[in-house]
Amino acid sequence: MSELSRKLLEEFESQGYDINQIAAEIDKLKVEVIRDFLKKSDDNKVYVIKRSGNLEEYIPDKIARSIKNAADRNGKQITSSDVEILMQDIEKSIESLNRKVFRTDEIKEFVKNALVEEGYSQIYDSYVSYVQAQN
């Protein structure tokens, strides 16, 4: 165990945190550390922390593809212009938070919210099923 890990664990234990609270705090800490590090960079890129813990650049085409795949998987139809409208809503959600780093689950929530707000309830159901199958 590293010295940093030992100190964090001691701090959490001194505050009476259980293992779930410790895990949640460490997840938040990871996002905060990466966000603060990236604030120093001059690029305007947005990044995603994947479930694996890897940091990747946010690529809108991946989200659009996941929406199309979810619709196709359950025999639902969605046009390119429909996907573009959804992507605009998702981009607005990302921009409104004025951050450079998001967790994968946050992006998925933006997608689900856009589907609901735009009235794509059948695609929403397909997307939720698609995401669960991916996990």
Side-chain angles (χ1 to χ4, degrees):
M1 179 182 283
S2 72
E3 184 63 27
L4 179 58
S5 297
R6 192 176 358 273
K7 286 182 180 187
L8 280 172
L9 185 58
E10 288 172 4
E11 178 64 23
F12 290 137
E13 287 175 339
S14 74
Q15 294 184 30
Y17 283 36
D18 67 26
I19 190 66
N20 291 321
Q21 291 170 312
I22 292 171
E25 288 298 317
I26 289 172
D27 284 345
K28 284 193 275 185
L29 179 63
K30 182 175 186 175
V31 171
E32 289 173 4
V33 168
I34 292 170
R35 181 195 63 221
D36 291 346
F37 179 80
L38 289 174
K39 277 184 183 176
K40 300 174 191 174
S41 73
D42 291 337
D43 70 19
N44 291 324
K45 296 177 183 175
V46 173
Y47 297 88
V48 178
I49 298 175
K50 307 298 274 185
R51 283 188 321 259
S52 66
N54 292 339
L55 183 70
E56 292 183 8
E57 184 178 343
Y58 169 73
I59 301 172
D61 288 346
K62 286 185 176 183
I63 304 304
R65 191 174 336 115
S66 71
I67 293 169
K68 290 176 191 174
N69 288 343
D72 291 345
R73 186 167 184 241
N74 288 326
K76 309 296 183 217
Q77 296 298 316
I78 189 165
T79 67
S80 295
S81 60
D82 292 336
V83 173
E84 183 60 34
I85 290 167
L86 292 166
M87 292 306 299
Q88 289 172 3
D89 290 351
I90 294 163
E91 295 292 324
K92 286 179 189 173
S93 295
I94 289 170
E95 291 170 4
S96 72
L97 294 176
N98 198 28
R99 293 179 9 213
K100 293 181 92 166
V101 181
F102 296 87
R103 294 182 319 275
T104 299
D105 61 317
E106 290 178 298
I107 301 294
K108 289 176 184 174
E109 284 302 312
F110 297 153
V111 173
K112 290 192 273 187
N113 290 341
L115 288 166
V116 168
E117 289 171 12
E118 294 295 341
Y120 296 102
S121 60
Q122 290 182 332
I123 305 294
Y124 171 87
D125 294 339
S126 298
Y127 181 78
V128 170
S129 296
Y130 177 78
V131 167
Q132 288 173 343
Q134 296 298 314
N135 293 335

